[in-house]
Amino acid sequence: MGSDIVAAEHSTDTGAASLAIHCLGVQKSYTSGSGPQRTVTHALRGVNLDVRRGELMMLVGPSGCGKTTLLSVLAGILNQDSGTVLVEGEDINHLPERQRSAFRGHALGFVFQSYNLIPSLSISENVSVPLIIRGCGWDEASVRAEAMLAKVGLGDRAQALPRHLSGGQQQRVAIARAMVHDPKIIVCDEPTSALDQDTGHLMMELFREVVLTEGRTLVIVTHDSRIFSFADRIARMNDGEVLEVVEAASLSEETHSH
């Protein structure tokens, strides 16, 4: 491993107080079948990774390497089998379910690859959902949702239903929903996969603005090499492990050289 790996293995130049996420020896397996047909898939094999507050970290690697599983563990959607995961200093996978749900609703925003929009609600109502869950009234939630939709270029479609939007527009709604409740950490699974290059760059510029000016942390799973340059650091994964953490500029330059 090169010197860049130090960042992934908890170097002393980054104190615990400056970390948004701390992973040490994280393992996760899935079992299918039973008896002689029983198979075990090792999705995460002892992942070590630190994510600093206020940075944009991308997780990259081939399909099936564990990126989305790691993202789900970081977000408290999945429990790891072993190892330590601290999110804003909280061991969320060992919290009672009610406290874990409250923590996720307050501190985390999600952008799912499949959007997960509620088809019967307008896009304004979809974006309002995280605010309603936190006890915000519908009137205030609507105002804040429509302001966020304007930021992602959909201010004139607030009353449309998801089925009336293109895939790229639905993805922008999902991004607005993830940011509307001012979470400390936003986790994203392929947020630009359905967007053309110009719109993808617009979304990444918005993400960068959120990180740099408001001190949030973003963790993004992506195959989209067009957006590597927007990251601060990039964690390369393969076969359930973080192999190295590199400065984004070096990986972007390498990509463009091929």
Side-chain angles (χ1 to χ4, degrees), residues 192-238:
T192 61
S193 62
L195 305 180
D196 60 45
Q197 181 164 325
D198 289 345
T199 305
H201 279 210
L202 175 66
M203 291 299 98
M204 292 309 302
E205 287 166 3
L206 177 59
F207 278 145
R208 289 292 304 174
E209 178 185 347
V210 168
V211 171
L212 293 176
T213 64
E214 301 183 32
R216 294 186 180 88
T217 303
L218 273 75
V219 181
I220 295 178
V221 163
T222 186
H223 287 95
D224 188 354
S225 61
R226 300 173 302 174
I227 65 172
F228 286 175
S229 61
F230 288 93
D232 294 303
R233 294 188 300 152
I234 294 178
R236 296 195 200 208
M237 294 188 67
N238 196 28

Side-chain angles (χ1 to χ4, degrees), residues 35-97:
Q37 304 302 317
R38 181 176 180 269
T39 59
V40 178
T41 302
H42 299 286
L44 300 176
R45 301 172 181 263
V47 167
N48 297 325
L49 181 68
D50 283 344
V51 182
R52 302 162 186 155
R53 287 196 178 103
E55 81 169 330
L56 196 164
M57 170 74 79
M58 290 186 185
L59 305 179
V60 306
S63 296
C65 72
K67 302 185 302 297
T68 297
T69 297
L70 178 58
L71 198 72
S72 297
V73 169
L74 300 182
I77 297 171
L78 291 177
N79 286 336
Q80 73 269 24
D81 297 331
S82 61
T84 299
V85 178
L86 300 180
V87 179
E88 287 293 331
E90 190 73 65
D91 186 353
I92 61 171
N93 289 319
H94 287 90
L95 288 175
E97 183 56 38

